[in-house]
Amino acid sequence: MKPKLLVTREVFDETLDYLAQHCEVESNQQDIPLDPGTLAQRLRDKDGVACCLTDRIDDQLLASCPQLKVVANIAVGYNNIDLAACTARGVMATNTPEVLTDTTADLAFALMLATARRLTEAEAYIRAGQWQGWHLKQMLGVDVHHATLGIIGMGRIGRVIARRAQGFEMRVIYHDPVRLAADIEQRLKATYASKDELLAQADFVILQMPYMPQTHHLIGAAELKKMKPSAILINSTRGGIVDDAALIRALKDGTIRAAGLDTFEGEPQLNPGFLELKNVVLAPHIGSSTEATRRAMAMTAAKNAVAALTGGTPPNVLNPEAKSNK
Ligand code: GLV
């Protein structure tokens, strides 16, 4: 008998075709988000789940599905999963690193350019029929080229952003709990800085670390005050890393110049303060959303799930020790 797997949100046909070769698949191709009760009920008899960052996988849920062997997240971030609870209950958890690195770095760069050059504000101005003609001081932005870029979180995506910054001849400084080896710093032309030094010097601050209790409100009122009034903040990693209420105040009173945001506290609900501001570029958590990358993410998760359900070790297992706890 094939193992039973639930796919919690709509995926691509090739993902389902692949999964169906190995599993009895129940999928949610209508893409209706499953509330926690429905998710628990549909997972009760399943051996595996391919899920998204919108699904909360916590101990209570795991307790109600004793057959579960694998939680395959279709995302690189996994703060929606209680990893310790998975390990304790012998459930392997996996994510989708690598396949989305370049695409997500592109979006961070796009937000930086769009915010610096006021692109969404400019488009809204045209759509509102306000454009009367060219003038010298129209929509003055700031330069990205030759500016100082501060990257907080120098993992896979942070490093690729640093590489892109070389093309814009930016000066790159970075902060991370773990300093890079000297040869990597050299290759990336990135200089290590303390968090405070980075905040004080950067024209653009890009956040690129995972969300966890230690990174909750890593950027709040005090940190925003340390930034230059001309600085721009980019958050395309996770909501909750920035204190959104403090950011709105800082954008309103000129503590910093602008922000480009793809992720929000409590998304998809948004602090309504953002909608009143012109100096913010907003995107609905689309960092990895190109067709090729989303297809690759779904297939990576499918392969992780199948590996676990056929007795193997998934390539992207986050808690290999879980296997011995089942
Ligand atoms: C998207 O936010 C991801 O973590 O893959």
Side-chain angles (χ1 to χ4, degrees):
M1 223 168 65
K2 284 180 177 175
K4 291 185 176 164
L5 178 105
L6 175 72
V7 184
T8 64
R9 299 294 297 263
E10 184 180 13
V11 289
F12 301 94
D13 288 348
E14 76 264 13
T15 322
L16 289 180
D17 290 347
Y18 169 76
L19 284 169
Q21 291 167 28
H22 305 275
C23 309
E24 199 181 299
V25 183
E26 184 179 313
S27 66
N28 175 15
Q29 288 300 87
Q30 299 90 342
D31 211 29
I32 300 161
L34 305 177
D35 61 66
T38 311
L39 182 61
Q41 189 240 319
R42 292 181 70 172
L43 272 184
R44 199 152 294 153
D45 63 340
K46 301 296 184 299
D47 304 291
V49 60
C51 61
C52 296
L53 48 86
T54 48
D55 302 306
R56 175 102 202 103
I57 310 290
D58 57 17
D59 194 50
Q60 194 185 343
L61 176 79
L62 295 170
S64 68
C65 30
Q67 264 173 248
L68 205 66
K69 288 186 197 64
V70 62
V71 174
N73 218 28
I74 310 177
V76 66
Y78 50 89
N79 55 300
N80 57 312
I81 299 173
D82 182 338
L83 197 59
C86 284
T87 307
R89 292 186 181 275
V91 178
M92 282 184 268
T94 68
N95 69 342
T96 62
E98 315 286 357
V99 291
L100 49 65
T101 303
D102 281 293
T103 299
T104 307
D106 283 354
L107 196 273
F109 233 86
L111 280 176
M112 180 163 65
L113 288 163
T115 310
R117 300 304 300 274
R118 303 169 60 180
L119 272 188
T120 53
E121 185 189 342
E123 187 184 346
Y125 173 78
I126 290 188
R127 285 184 189 273
Q130 289 176 323
W131 190 25
Q132 301 296 320
W134 189 93
H135 62 97
L136 196 64
K137 290 187 176 175
Q138 194 167 39
M139 293 269 163
L140 297 175
V142 291
D143 286 322
V144 171
H145 67 84
H146 296 96
T148 296
L149 170 61
I151 304 171
I152 306 184
M154 204 58 151
R156 275 182 291 258
I157 299 170
R159 293 179 206 192
V160 170
I161 292 170
R163 286 217 314 266
R164 282 169 179 44
Q166 288 182 23
F168 281 73
E169 299 181 66
M170 301 180 88
R171 170 182 171 243
V172 178
I173 53 179
Y174 78 96
H175 181 73
D176 191 279
V178 185
R179 186 169 174 171
L180 298 175
D183 61 320
I184 302 179
E185 284 187 353
Q186 239 165 33
R187 208 174 328 126
L188 296 176
K189 297 192 172 64
T191 304
Y192 184 81
S194 71
K195 187 174 149 200
D196 282 358
E197 283 167 350
L198 183 147
L199 291 173
Q201 292 176 27
D203 299 307
F204 298 90
V205 174
I206 293 188
L207 306 174
Q208 209 56 73
M209 74 291 290
Y211 178 79
M212 49 184 137
Q214 302 91 298
T215 58
H216 179 75
H217 285 187
L218 188 92
I219 301 292
E223 289 74 20
L224 290 160
K225 226 175 255 161
K226 289 176 185 163
M227 291 171 66
K228 297 186 199 179
S230 56
I232 290 178
L233 177 71
I234 306 297
N235 182 14
S236 53
T237 181
R238 275 292 181 276
I241 290 176
V242 176
D243 176 344
D244 283 355
L247 176 59
I248 288 166
R249 283 195 299 276
L251 290 167
K252 264 191 188 149
D253 68 17
T255 303
I256 65 167
R257 178 184 174 92
L261 306 169
D262 186 44
T263 53
F264 304 87
E265 279 191 292
E267 62 186 49
Q269 266 76 48
L270 215 66
N271 187 319
F274 283 126
L275 304 177
E276 292 160 18
L277 296 171
K278 280 190 174 172
N279 54 344
V280 67
V281 173
L282 306 169
H285 204 146
I286 53 167
S288 61
S289 192
T290 63
E291 174 139 7
T293 294
R294 287 281 165 94
R295 282 185 190 275
M297 288 165 66
M299 194 53 99
T300 300
K303 289 188 172 162
N304 281 323
V306 167
L309 294 176
T310 53
T313 301
N316 307 117
V317 65
L318 296 162
N319 56 349
E321 65 277 23
K323 219 174 169 180
S324 53
N325 290 345
K326 199 74 178 175

